[in-house]
Amino acid sequence: MTNQPGAPAKKKDDSLSTILEPGQIEAAATAPPFLHLPSANLFEHRAARLEHLAEGHAFADYLRLIADLCRTQQQLLENPPTDLPVAAERQRLCLSHGLPPLAADSLVREGAWQPWLQALLEHLPPSGNSAVSEAVRQLRDSSEQQRTVWAIALLGGHYDALPAALVPFIGAALQAAWSSWLLALPNQELKAVGSLGQCPCCGSPAMAGLVRNRGRHNGLRYLACSLCACEWHVVRVKCVYCESSKDLRYTSLADDRHRAGKAALHAECCPGCQVYLKQCYLENDAAAEPLADDLASLALDLRLGEEGFQRLAPNLMLAPGGG
Ligand code: FE
Ligand code: FE
């Protein structure tokens, strides 16, 4: 075994070989935790946040519909229809090759998530909304093959290849399955994969950022996965798409509830690639939640779109332009 460049020479006495030099000790102590895993009640937390944000909101009915869907997701998370579908050897191989162990692009074709969609359809409470009832009926009448085609399209970002009304239901089933599997992974020592905005657990794109305000994560930015809700650390003030830090701008909606600059959510806008990513600041509102706050700030997407900025981050609960 060879030493890393700059590391102290290996001593003959093995008991000394694990002693860290002062610089290494500082590096180990200050290295930010790479992951922040979702809590076991993440969907309940999301539902409560959506209901809070729905108060007086122009899209209150839609936010409450998604809150109900989140409560059904929480039921599935607590009573998982299937176990982790990836065997230990495949997990080990993925990790050793720097690949996400729950890669969405392959697992979505293998169908282990199908029982999750079936269970979601069985647990959904009846809706008084005719459009919702029609969407649920269409899903209930669909074959597994059709469901797979729609799910592949959704995770691939091809929103025009499935009916917009079905997006939240298919998205909810997929999210519940992947979050459950993430929390069941025995080895959660995940490493960065591909680009900054790609989830180390499932390879899906980030939905939004989150600047944390507590403990070891205080002041650090994490990106929240659009599928499995895994959060991974990415330094602040850096475009997660082109990695530029030049002239980034932070934009928020005017809001009576917050002083200027203290909004719970700002969009990090990059003039270099003309793309933005929303992020929540827990320091400004400790209850902020990426998916809920994203859906409640669609007016910001409209404004940034008019200014020529593009959004790349998916939210599996909403087809772009289909809300
Ligand atoms: Fe993920
Ligand atoms: Fe950029």
Side-chain angles (χ1 to χ4, degrees):
M1 194 163 91
T2 56
N3 284 335
Q4 296 285 328
K10 194 174 188 302
K11 307 283 197 306
K12 278 187 178 172
D13 181 346
D14 280 343
S15 66
L16 295 176
S17 66
T18 53
I19 292 175
L20 295 173
E21 293 294 293
Q24 291 175 293
I25 294 168
E26 284 154 21
T30 56
F34 180 56
L35 289 188
H36 184 279
L37 294 175
S39 67
N41 71 342
L42 84 142
F43 295 116
E44 176 56 38
H45 171 51
R46 199 170 271 178
R49 178 65 174 173
L50 282 161
E51 282 166 355
H52 170 74
L53 293 170
E55 296 288 329
H57 197 287
F59 303 140
D61 289 348
Y62 168 69
L63 297 177
R64 292 197 178 101
L65 165 71
I66 301 300
D68 289 345
L69 205 40
C70 291
R71 292 230 151 78
T72 305
Q73 288 179 294
Q74 186 65 41
Q75 288 177 31
L76 301 191
L77 195 65
E78 290 168 9
N79 300 284
T82 65
D83 294 330
L84 184 61
V86 179
E89 177 61 10
R90 181 164 157 189
Q91 292 170 34
R92 194 193 62 73
L93 273 174
C94 287
L95 291 171
S96 66
H97 288 89
L99 298 170
L102 299 179
D105 53 0
S106 53
L107 282 177
V108 72
R109 289 172 166 78
E110 294 172 26
W113 58 272
Q114 292 271 3
W116 291 76
L117 179 54
Q118 191 57 36
L120 182 97
L121 293 171
E122 286 164 12
H123 282 79
L124 280 177
S127 172
N129 180 315
S130 59
V132 171
S133 301
E134 172 55 26
V136 172
R137 188 202 56 74
Q138 188 178 1
L139 263 177
R140 285 194 171 123
D141 290 348
S142 62
S143 65
E144 282 204 359
Q145 194 180 18
Q146 177 64 75
R147 294 175 184 184
T148 299
V149 170
W150 285 333
I152 291 171
L154 177 56
L155 294 186
H158 306 297
Y159 286 89
D160 52 352
L162 74 163
L166 305 190
V167 165
F169 302 99
I170 299 173
L174 295 169
Q175 284 180 340
W178 259 267
S179 291
S180 172
W181 298 337
L182 164 64
L183 293 173
L185 267 185
N187 182 352
Q188 292 164 333
E189 295 293 314
L190 305 175
K191 302 280 188 299
V193 292
S195 65
L196 294 180
Q198 193 179 6
C199 174
C201 172
C202 75
S204 296
M207 172 179 57
L210 190 65
V211 178
R212 297 205 152 269
N213 68 332
R214 291 250 173 93
R216 296 191 309 150
H217 304 90
N218 185 30
L220 300 175
R221 173 171 72 169
Y222 287 80
L223 300 189
C225 177
S226 53
L227 178 60
C228 74
C230 181
E231 293 175 18
W232 62 101
H233 174 246
V234 174
V235 293
R236 290 171 68 169
V237 196
K238 187 189 255 292
C239 171
V240 304
Y241 301 106
C242 74
E243 305 194 14
S244 167
S245 297
K246 197 163 182 286
D247 298 332
L248 297 182
R249 187 187 100 192
Y250 296 84
T251 305
S252 63
L253 289 171
D255 190 329
D256 295 341
R257 290 173 298 185
H258 299 99
R259 285 182 287 127
K262 290 290 179 185
L265 183 143
H266 288 73
E268 184 173 71
C269 305
C270 174
C273 65
Q274 289 288 108
V275 177
Y276 66 92
L277 179 76
K278 290 180 181 173
Q279 44 198 41
C280 298
Y281 292 76
L282 297 189
E283 179 189 15
N284 293 347
D285 188 338
E289 197 283 328
L291 184 141
D293 285 63
D294 177 25
L295 292 180
S297 58
L298 293 177
L300 183 58
D301 295 281
L302 291 176
R303 188 170 122 194
L304 291 171
E306 285 168 5
E307 291 180 24
F309 284 99
Q310 191 188 359
R311 174 178 174 140
L312 297 181
N315 185 320
L316 300 186
M317 292 299 194
L318 182 74

